[in-house]
Amino acid sequence: MDDLLFTVFSFIGTVAFALSGAVTAMNEDYDILGIFILGLVTAFGGGVIRNLLIGIPPASLWSQSFMLNSALISITIILIVPVKWIHTWLKVEVFFDAIGLAAFAVQGAMYAVSMEQPVIAVVFAAMMTGIGGGVVRDVLAGRKPVVFREDLYAIWAIIGGLAIGLGWARASSELWIVFGCIVLMRLLSFKYKWKLPKRHLYEKEGAKG
């Protein structure tokens, strides 16, 4: 595994999701401690879930001092910048969310491959690393997890993980292509409202006659 590339993807995902969690906490009117906690949980939740699934002790998180410091610095910055900057950031939030999803999906798949896990585990690691932090963030913020009800969010992480798990993308240039494709497809699915089919147990109001 390319250690430098792994670190780059980890850094991109950590910063993007730490900011996402912090801004969500501000939207929910959390205090400063709550902002830091939600930012950190969003940044590292997916990785912790992935580690549990492939047999890595969650305590390994504490050895990632560079990533922890990066997340803390990112959250501190978002706390002190002018509010109008945050409002501007919110307009392009989906872009940073797509970057975080793609970075962590690739990083999670690389991690599972380095552990010589089977393809199904690589795919699952990509998906859970990519969406896990966002799911935990939404649950703690009292929201329905967006990944289960909106556009094809998790699907792109799954497809990226599959490409890496099957060995179609292993070189650095190929991994960057997977990263770019996940970002692009996430943005397209958001713009055009692509969704998986749903099945409702109850008819929606106004659906009858």
Side-chain angles (χ1 to χ4, degrees):
M1 179 174 63
D2 187 327
D3 290 340
L4 176 59
L5 190 61
F6 181 83
T7 301
V8 169
F9 282 124
S10 298
F11 176 77
I12 293 171
T14 297
V15 171
F17 276 3
L19 292 174
S20 173
V23 172
T24 296
M26 291 181 197
N27 268 332
E28 297 297 326
D29 201 27
Y30 284 22
D31 61 21
I32 289 179
L33 179 60
I35 292 170
F36 272 101
I37 289 175
L38 197 60
L40 291 173
V41 165
T42 306
F44 296 102
V48 170
I49 294 171
R50 174 206 63 211
N51 288 354
L52 285 170
L53 290 172
I54 62 177
I56 305 297
S60 62
L61 167 68
W62 307 119
S63 64
Q64 303 176 41
S65 57
F66 174 72
M67 296 304 164
L68 282 167
N69 289 334
S70 298
L72 288 170
I73 291 170
S74 301
I75 297 167
T76 302
I77 290 173
I78 205 72
L79 276 171
I80 62 177
V81 298
V83 171
K84 64 179 180 179
W85 289 15
I86 300 176
H87 288 161
T88 300
W89 186 87
L90 284 170
K91 295 176 183 177
V92 293
E93 181 181 14
V94 65
F95 176 68
F96 288 96
D97 188 66
I99 289 175
L101 170 70
F104 271 157
V106 173
Q107 183 249 45
M110 290 175 67
Y111 195 80
V113 166
S114 73
M115 299 294 294
E116 300 182 351
Q117 297 292 327
V119 173
I120 186 64
V122 175
V123 172
F124 217 75
M127 181 186 71
M128 292 311 303
T129 311
I131 73 170
V135 170
V136 177
R137 174 199 64 207
D138 290 343
V139 169
L140 291 180
R143 304 174 175 181
K144 293 180 180 178
V146 67
V147 302
F148 300 136
R149 57 189 175 88
E150 295 297 337
D151 51 80
L152 308 180
Y153 191 93
I155 292 295
W156 309 126
I158 291 172
I159 294 173
L162 186 63
I164 295 170
L166 291 174
W168 299 342
R170 292 289 173 86
S172 295
S173 58
E174 295 167 343
L175 292 170
W176 280 113
I177 290 172
V178 171
F179 170 82
C181 287
I182 295 175
V183 172
L184 176 62
M185 297 310 296
R186 162 68 176 132
L187 293 176
L188 287 175
S189 63
F190 177 82
K191 180 178 181 179
Y192 295 108
K193 308 298 182 186
W194 296 339
K195 297 182 180 181
L196 290 172
K198 299 178 182 179
R199 186 180 185 189
H200 300 285
L201 290 179
Y202 306 100
E203 288 190 54
K204 292 185 177 179
E205 247 182 85
K208 293 183 180 179

